[in-house]
Structure formats: C-alpha cells, structure tokens
Amino acid sequence: MTTLFPATSPTAPLTRLSLLALAAALAGCGGGSDDPPPQDVALLAGDWQSQGCTVIGSRLSERSLLRLVRQDATLFTQSYGAVVYANGDCTGNGTVRLLPPETATPLVVRRTASTGSLAVFWAHWTQDSVDSTPYGRWALKGDFMCPAFYAVVLAIFPPPPPPPPHTSYDLEIATRQTDEMLQRRACYTRVPA
C-alpha cells in the first residue's frame, strides 16, 4: 500500500488541511459549474408575429407567425403561419392561420445563456446529435423575440467559419446580431390576446 502523506512529513497536516478546505469549497458550490441555470422554454411559448407587414391589397395584409409550444423544460415545437388583417396596414385585430400540425418542427434546446437584457436559446432538431450545429437560435430581448435559423442561412449564404474561440453558441455574437435584427425590425412580437 502506498502512503500519500507519511507521518514523518512536516507538511502532511498542512496538505491534509488544504485538501479538506478544497473539498469544503467545492461542496459549498454544489460541485457544479459556474454556468447560470438553463432557461426554461416556457419563456418562448406563444404566438409571435413578425414586425414586418406584407401588404396583399388595400383590404388585406399579413405578418408571418411563429407558434412555439412548450413540451417540457427543453423541448418545444415550432409551427408556421400568418396573422391576417382585413386592412392594408396590419393594424387592429388579426386572424391567426397556421400550417397543418404535421408541419410543426420538434426542437430540443441544448444550451441557453443570458445577460441582463437578453435570454438566448440554441435548439437542435430532436434527432440531431449533441455535437451537431444548432438548427437555430431564439433570443428574447424585452418584448421581442429574434430567431436566427442557421440551417436556412447557411444553405443560402455560407459564411466563413468564425475565428476561435467563437462558436455558434457565442453570446457576444448573439447579442450583436439580435441588436442588428432589432434595428432592422426583423424580430417578432407577441400576438395580442
């Protein structure tokens, strides 16, 4: 048997105390990481209409719609549709129209992050592996939800790979892109009840 701290060592009591202090410190932290707790997808749940208005005629206009339905803390489905207005400027009460339920996309959130004003969710198709690129990112800032769908953007405009240490989960990039989307009015607001 190997003795780690021989009784004759003058530093053995100090080393034992250091190890005990380290164990106590880790136990006080819960032994976990310093990452904030994950955000629940309940924050995303609901009907969200785009800020942009598509005018179809003097008596018809619409805004695109995303319906996010929470399944549990990390699972949700996303459905597409439109909020249709009986006028040419997307004002007043609209009628929600959704694509058929079988077109809903089941997604799983594998990472979240937050700042003082931003909550970010990165989600994958449920069948994707853990190390795959996320399907998209949903950022909540105030009354706005700003989605970015990587699969669509990458297929149309494949960007150069980001320089290290940036990844698709980079909070700094998500914050900057969310601010840019808000300036361009490219985000979504909740559909009034």
Side-chain angles (χ1 to χ4, degrees):
M1 179 173 168
T2 304
T3 304
L4 294 176
F5 304 107
T8 58
S9 170
T11 60
L14 291 176
T15 304
R16 283 188 202 117
L17 286 174
S18 296
L19 288 173
L20 286 172
L22 177 62
L26 287 175
C29 294
S33 71
D34 291 334
D35 293 337
Q39 301 285 323
D40 190 309
V41 298
L43 294 173
L44 296 173
D47 287 349
W48 297 87
Q49 64 181 340
S50 66
Q51 288 182 280
C53 176
T54 302
V55 178
I56 300 168
S58 63
R59 295 185 186 189
L60 193 62
S61 58
E62 69 180 23
R63 297 180 190 269
S64 62
L65 175 89
L66 294 177
R67 175 173 283 175
L68 305 178
V69 178
R70 180 186 188 271
Q71 306 301 316
D72 67 24
T74 61
L75 292 169
F76 69 99
T77 58
Q78 177 173 278
S79 300
Y80 297 92
V83 181
V84 181
Y85 295 87
N87 57 49
D89 60 1
C90 295
T91 58
N93 292 326
T95 303
V96 171
R97 296 195 179 142
L98 288 169
L99 292 175
E102 59 270 11
T103 64
T105 306
L107 298 162
V108 59
V109 171
R110 294 216 171 107
R111 186 163 306 170
T112 66
S114 61
T115 66
S117 63
L118 190 71
V120 184
F121 300 80
W122 287 272
H124 298 249
W125 279 291
T126 54
Q127 72 271 13
D128 283 352
S129 65
V130 173
D131 60 349
S132 65
T133 301
Y135 165 75
R137 177 187 74 226
W138 292 257
L140 293 174
K141 187 167 188 175
D143 295 331
F144 298 95
M145 190 258 306
C146 305
F149 303 109
Y150 299 145
V152 175
V153 174
L154 293 176
I156 300 170
F157 305 108
H166 297 300
T167 70
S168 55
Y169 296 109
D170 193 300
L171 184 57
E172 179 184 333
I173 291 172
T175 301
R176 185 180 69 244
Q177 290 175 345
T178 299
D179 288 341
E180 290 168 2
M181 290 177 73
L182 285 166
Q183 288 174 4
R184 291 191 329 259
R185 295 186 44 85
C187 293
Y188 288 70
T189 59
R190 287 196 186 272
V191 174

